[in-house]
Amino acid sequence: MNIWNRTSLITGALAGITAALLSMGANTQSSFAIVLYAASALPILIAGLGWGNAAAIVAIVVAGATAATLVSAYFALLILLVTLVPAGWLSHLANLARPASELGGPDGALAWYPLSDILGHLAGLVTVGMIIVGYIVGYDSGVSDRMIDMVIEAVKAQEPLYNPDAAAIAQIKSMFTLALPLVQGAIWVLMLFAAYYLATRIVQTSARSLRPREDIPSSLRMPRNAIFVFLAGLVLAFLGGAPAAIGALICGTFGAGFLLSGFASFHFRTRGKSWRLPVLWIAYLSVLVFTIPAVFFLLSGLTDTRRTIAVTPAEKN
């Protein structure tokens, strides 16, 4: 085994241990749980983007084995499905390139896997992972119903006069049954993409990145076929039962992809404007505070779908 392979494997092992520890830390720090779970993808992404597929595979295996040993096989399976495997797959896709001449580009150049397809894969991976996890844990409408009951009991403890009627409670539970998977899927796609973005910047700063630095505002879009998946999720959401929960999840994961695309498009269209910075701040704050303005960026992402391929000289890689 040469020194390069040995370095890659050691790096992967260290990344896997770090990822497992971050995931386990999420169990003890409930207030920052989602951040720590998403952060556990960062070591896997850095190992894969900087040292290749071998490092990413070792990192995933070591992370899973560490989590299974220190916590349980059940816990290890969950983090593998929703965090570690998606992170390793994203790093693999990001390092894919082919001769640009095969796509009608210039000779002596490389065409990199489109960022739009990477975002589409992320939405799909999160969807599949969460469906499998939901099946394993036995997720059904009873989970969201119990959460609503707990909230109502907590409110009653603070306000003894609060006594909502049964019809109102039933309506809230019906809405929350769809809202829970939708929000969970959307947040997880956003968090994992943030981890991917941060990992690419770290690896590029260390000069280990194979993939060139891309202009995110101009290249971050969803692939056109993702629109049909999103529409299929909308249809499923009206069927009720398990199909409705899956449909809501699809709307959340792919909707988050279109939301990111809409924000990227907004960044691109405001480039060079003197009022750009305050308008961007207002846009982000309005989405965080009021949520409803997110629909504008979602629609913007839905109406601007394309695949932008980064091309670099082959000798630079």
Side-chain angles (χ1 to χ4, degrees), residues 23-37:
S23 297
M24 289 185 289
N27 288 336
T28 59
Q29 297 291 332
S30 58
S31 56
F32 297 100
I34 190 169
V35 176
L36 289 174
Y37 275 126

Side-chain angles (χ1 to χ4, degrees), residues 43-121:
I44 309 296
L45 286 163
I46 292 174
L49 292 170
W51 283 267
N53 287 341
I57 292 172
V58 170
I60 293 171
V61 172
V62 170
T66 302
T69 302
L70 299 181
V71 183
S72 68
Y74 180 77
F75 174 74
L77 178 61
L78 295 184
I79 64 172
L80 283 169
L81 287 172
V82 299
T83 306
L84 305 183
V85 171
W89 184 249
L90 292 184
S91 67
H92 166 68
L93 294 178
N95 286 336
L96 289 180
R98 61 192 300 186
S101 58
E102 295 182 3
L103 303 175
D107 294 330
L110 291 177
W112 295 87
Y113 198 79
L115 184 59
S116 59
D117 288 0
I118 293 176
L119 183 57
H121 274 259

Side-chain angles (χ1 to χ4, degrees), residues 253-272:
T253 53
F254 282 82
F258 286 113
L259 181 65
L260 286 169
S261 175
F263 272 115
S265 178
F266 189 64
H267 273 261
F268 182 72
R269 293 175 182 178
T270 58
R271 180 172 287 172

Side-chain angles (χ1 to χ4, degrees), residues 138-175:
Y139 175 84
D140 56 23
S141 60
V143 175
S144 58
D145 290 350
R146 288 190 293 272
M147 293 178 66
I148 294 297
D149 290 335
M150 291 172 61
V151 172
I152 291 175
E153 291 301 322
V155 173
K156 285 183 177 180
Q158 298 293 327
E159 297 288 342
L161 298 178
Y162 177 73
N163 188 29
D165 60 87
I169 294 176
Q171 185 176 11
I172 294 173
K173 288 181 177 180
S174 177
M175 293 175 59

Side-chain angles (χ1 to χ4, degrees), residues 175-191:
M175 293 175 59
F176 196 69
T177 299
L178 297 181
L180 183 60
L182 187 149
V183 172
Q184 286 180 330
I187 290 178
W188 202 240
V189 169
L190 295 175
M191 296 291 283

